[in-house]
Amino acid sequence: MTTSLKKLVTAIGASVALMGAGHAAAEIQIGIAGPVTGPVAQYGDMQFSGALMAIDRINEQGGVLGEKLVPVEYDDVCDPKQAVTVANRLVNDGVRYVVGHLCSSSTQPASDIYEDEGILMITPASTSPEVTARGYELIFRTIGLDSMQGPVAANYLADQNPERVAIVHDKQQYGEGIATAVRDTLKDKGVEIAMFEGVTAGDKDFSSLITKLKQADVEYVYFGGYHPELGLILRQARQANLDATFMGPEGVGNNDINTIAGDASEGLLVTLPPSFDEKEENQELVKAFEAKNEDPSGPFVLTSYAAVQLIAEGIEAADSKDPFDVAEALRSGTFETPIGTVEYDEAGDMKSFEFVVYEWHSDGSKTPAK
Amino acid sequence: MQDLLYFSQQLINGLTIGSAYALIAIGYTMVYGIIGMINFAHGEIYMIGAYTALIAITGMTALGLAWLPLILLVALICAMIVSSSMGWAVERVAYRPVRGRHRLIPLISAIGMSIFLQNYVHLAQGSRNVGFPALIEGGFTFGSGEAFQMSLSYMQITIFITTLICMTVLSMFISRSRTGRACRAVSQDLGMASLLGIDTNRIISVTFVIGAALAAVAGLLLGMYYGSVDPLFGFIAGLKAFTAAVLGGIGSIPGAMLGGLILGVSESMTSSYLSGEYKDVVSFGLLILILLFKPTGLLGKPEVEKI
């Protein structure tokens, strides 16, 4: 009885192994892990539509090393616990390349598993610096880091030749980090920084701060932090007749700032990732999306497209399907993608990722700043 | 001249915030004066007052009312009614059943009430910041040309005047009216007042209602002055007002007024001549110093040990 069962299990195991081997010889599986359901599923849609489009187009052109790419989809609901389950399923399914995950909080625990199991991961959306800060070999991204916005903002400010700039932050990791980056870059450019000061997140009264800004006679105020504080600062500054232009990071660029600041949010400068679908060189790709009745304008569509393309070109450049060789090739090569020229540093971050300065309007729309 | 204008501007900023702290501090100080407990849910009552005023203003604007004094009056009355009934209900539900027990029990009950009210508003109104319409705009400007200009907004003037009126009315009520006299009697000796035929339960309720009504006034004023409310609105304000009450001498009404103004001015002076980062360090440092060297506060009377 037991021996026959053992034989049966062995037989099944062997046939599964054989099937797996046959499977792998003909095609390359690309795992796409992101939220298909849950509160941020609309971002997941962007990720899947971009990645699937890239796989289709690469297969049309003959695939990679003569093999077809096959998408395998996984739903992590942007929940860290489910992300770990998904990562383990990917390991069991023998997938060796992943485009995902989306939320930094999911990407972080899943990437631990991928690194251990020798799976190459490219996240098209996670911006937390932590994701690539652990010295992992197989973890990459096709999006910028929170800390990259600071220099972009500072360069823009420096180009305006202001006499004096003030920098305010909310004393938290995100806000103070960006504010410090802005200050350092401005200092290097020789711009006078009249003030560098923290406010308490959750504070409501900024009248003293605004009086100080008035006294310092600054032209620009950079705020590192989120919209609840900046919204109040804008509004109270308007009431106190402070004549200065405000600027902030991605964390202030959402519609809630309009409900708090009202008209005072008009003319606020915000650094955001660019609209890749408006670039001229991508118009052919945009038409391909439109032909499929899909919208390429979401922030993560073309970053996901680029992630698949990088895996494919990495495999070709390495002439090997071993993820470690591919990672090596990605680090040493230069790749042309819809999100621009991609070069990787040791950590797995892009050497440069574009953030664009937008001018915010009180009706919630934005236009590129001059 | 420049420096003087700058100093005056910061003084005005500090006095504005200080008067609002004083309005909230009254609630702490009166309750402490009468039953010797600290009502930690008072900051939440203030927050609820601000939300009620906002809802009333939004409602009236939606109905097409545009006459500003009417809007403000209705918002004020709504906020005072809702906050006062909250204050009354909180006392009835959370404090009266545990009155007369060990001092810690009502205190813990108050903290629980504070957490409950905060989360209730989280659920009912959402955790996002809600913008408050700017109803009173404009103001006077002093100084001219390129130099630093000092501004005194109509909103700041409104806050000063309203606080002044509230304080005067309250002082007259306490010193002249029959209920006010009963309040003073209860605060001197609750047991004796009860023996002499004063309905102490009613007087204690009245104290909570008055404190809550003043907090509602502060909620409306500060909501308009700052520009937004959120469910955590009352937490820090409550702590600051409590500090002001202790600073001035807890249990003393003029003390709460003085404590609020000192706290507001010292905060704005710290922000302007040191750094905004040290604002809270200074205000809570002040609290610790007062507790160490003059535990009864600036205007408080030393407590006589009752046997």
Side-chain angles (χ1 to χ4, degrees), chain A residues 5 37 39 108 120 150 177 188 211 232 238 265 278 282 336 346:
Chain A
L5 189 65
T37 58
Q108 184 112 356
L120 182 99
D188 289 345
T211 306
L232 287 179
R238 166 72 62 96
S265 64
E278 280 163 19
N282 290 338
E336 287 301 327
E346 271 310 300

Side-chain angles (χ1 to χ4, degrees), chain A residues 192-328:
Chain A
E192 190 191 331
I193 294 158
M195 251 172 84
F196 183 81
E197 200 169 303
V199 298
T200 309
D203 226 348
K204 295 280 176 194
D205 172 39
F206 298 103
S207 56
S208 299
L209 173 78
I210 287 159
T211 306
K212 243 174 131 173
L213 290 171
K214 256 169 109 174
Q215 169 83 336
D217 193 20
V218 290
E219 284 158 76
Y220 288 92
V221 181
Y222 187 85
F223 179 79
Y226 294 100
H227 59 274
E229 285 78 31
L230 184 62
L232 287 179
I233 293 177
L234 285 173
R235 179 172 170 156
Q236 294 174 17
R238 166 72 62 96
Q239 274 163 7
N241 301 319
L242 171 65
D243 183 25
T245 308
F246 283 81
M247 185 170 195
E250 211 183 348
V252 306
N254 63 59
N255 282 337
D256 275 8
I257 199 160
N258 301 78
T259 62
I260 300 170
D263 291 345
S265 64
E266 181 69 39
L268 167 72
L269 299 166
V270 187
T271 44
L272 290 168
S275 315
F276 296 114
D277 60 302
E278 280 163 19
K279 284 191 171 177
E280 204 166 314
E281 59 268 30
N282 290 338
Q283 288 316 305
E284 190 255 319
L285 183 59
V286 168
K287 287 208 182 76
F289 274 103
E290 280 163 359
K292 276 178 74 182
N293 230 346
E294 282 173 355
D295 176 19
S297 68
F300 307 127
V301 178
L302 291 181
T303 57
S304 304
Y305 185 97
V308 174
Q309 189 189 334
L310 284 165
I311 292 173
E313 290 187 10
I315 294 173
E316 290 203 320
D319 198 19
S320 155
K321 290 194 289 178
D322 180 31
F324 286 94
D325 295 340
V326 178
E328 182 64 39

Side-chain angles (χ1 to χ4, degrees), chain A residues 158-212:
Chain A
D159 288 345
Q160 313 299 312
N161 280 322
E163 275 182 40
R164 272 185 299 278
V165 173
I167 298 171
V168 181
H169 59 84
D170 66 357
K171 296 193 279 191
Q172 295 190 36
Q173 190 188 5
Y174 171 74
E176 189 167 1
I178 293 181
T180 312
V182 171
R183 180 191 61 187
D184 294 346
T185 317
L186 281 178
K187 264 189 190 160
D188 289 345
K189 299 232 166 199
V191 176
E192 190 191 331
I193 294 158
M195 251 172 84
F196 183 81
E197 200 169 303
V199 298
T200 309
D203 226 348
K204 295 280 176 194
D205 172 39
F206 298 103
S207 56
S208 299
L209 173 78
I210 287 159
T211 306
K212 243 174 131 173

Side-chain angles (χ1 to χ4, degrees), chain B residues 68-111:
Chain B
L68 189 62
L70 181 71
I71 293 183
L72 287 179
L73 191 70
V74 175
L76 187 66
I77 290 172
C78 288
M80 284 171 88
I81 290 174
V82 172
S83 283
S84 299
S85 14
M86 273 293 182
W88 180 83
V90 164
E91 194 272 333
R92 194 69 192 77
V93 170
Y95 306 149
R96 191 176 293 181
V98 293
R99 195 192 301 151
R101 307 269 186 84
H102 189 276
R103 287 176 86 103
L104 271 180
I105 293 172
L107 190 74
I108 290 168
S109 181
I111 293 173

